[in-house]
Amino acid sequence: MESVLAGCSASISELKKNPSALIEQSDGEPIAILNHNRPTAYLIPAETYEAILEKIEDYQLGLIVTERQNEKISAVEISIDEL
């Protein structure tokens, strides 16, 4: 059986019945949506989703910075007059 990575879970049927109440009851925590007792999705607050996307973007930008710092070694230095 797959592990549920949330403190709260609900079936798809429960989600269909009253999604607003379910979100309210979770108090901002992720909700594992189960289908036949197996997690099929996770419902998270919009603020949490946006924060996750921001962290991913920051991480990707960090990788670009690191990559470009490594490229600096092979850079050729020139003066502004040479341009």
Side-chain angles (χ1 to χ4, degrees):
M1 182 169 182
E2 295 176 46
S3 60
V4 175
L5 304 175
C8 181
S9 64
S11 68
I12 290 176
S13 302
E14 289 175 283
L15 179 63
K16 286 179 185 177
K17 284 179 190 171
N18 197 346
S20 296
L22 191 60
I23 292 167
E24 195 173 305
Q25 288 172 5
S26 74
D27 198 30
E29 293 296 314
I31 304 167
I33 305 302
L34 309 177
N35 187 17
H36 302 291
N37 291 324
R38 297 178 71 196
T40 58
Y42 288 91
L43 179 62
I44 58 173
E47 290 174 4
T48 303
Y49 181 73
E50 291 163 4
I52 290 169
L53 289 182
E54 214 172 287
K55 288 192 183 298
I56 290 170
E57 185 178 328
D58 289 348
Y59 175 75
Q60 290 171 332
L61 289 173
L63 291 177
I64 291 170
V65 168
T66 301
E67 184 180 304
R68 291 189 180 164
Q69 284 175 335
N70 292 335
E71 290 174 0
K72 188 177 178 182
I73 296 166
S74 61
V76 176
E77 196 170 318
I78 60 170
S79 71
I80 193 78
D81 296 328
E82 291 176 305
L83 293 175

